[in-house]
Amino acid sequence: FEKTLAHLKAGFANDEETGQVILMHAQLCRDKKEWGKARADIKELLEFSPHHLQREALLYDQALLLAHEGKWQEAANA
């Protein structure tokens, strides 16, 4: 999945469907408790699409993932 995602990002970086795949990857990482990877995906998605329809939920998810990583101050700031 990660190789395919890398190809999508390289070939279709500005495509809306690529953003959806990044979001799906973040969810898979969250399910595997790979908090850092999930947070990196969300950060990338927000950089790719700063006015994403789910922006507030994604920002909340970032804070929640920081809390899962034990980064309490960063989570509170987020």
Side-chain angles (χ1 to χ4, degrees):
F1 188 92
E2 292 190 15
K3 287 182 183 180
T4 303
L5 180 58
H7 288 292
L8 281 173
K9 289 178 188 178
F12 304 97
N14 296 322
D15 196 35
E16 186 177 328
E17 284 80 17
T18 301
Q20 293 301 320
V21 174
I22 292 170
L23 191 57
M24 186 183 339
H25 185 258
Q27 182 61 46
L28 290 172
C29 291
R30 184 180 303 146
D31 292 346
K32 295 179 188 177
K33 297 184 183 322
E34 295 176 341
W35 313 124
K37 282 185 178 182
R39 195 167 41 83
D41 284 341
I42 291 172
K43 180 180 177 186
E44 182 178 15
L45 181 58
L46 289 171
E47 288 171 356
F48 163 73
S49 179
H51 303 292
H52 194 278
L53 293 175
Q54 298 174 347
R55 179 176 172 73
E56 289 183 26
L58 292 170
L59 291 171
Y60 176 80
D61 284 347
Q62 274 190 317
L64 188 61
L65 291 166
L66 284 165
H68 283 303
E69 291 181 276
K71 298 180 179 181
W72 308 114
Q73 189 59 46
E74 290 178 56
N77 291 339

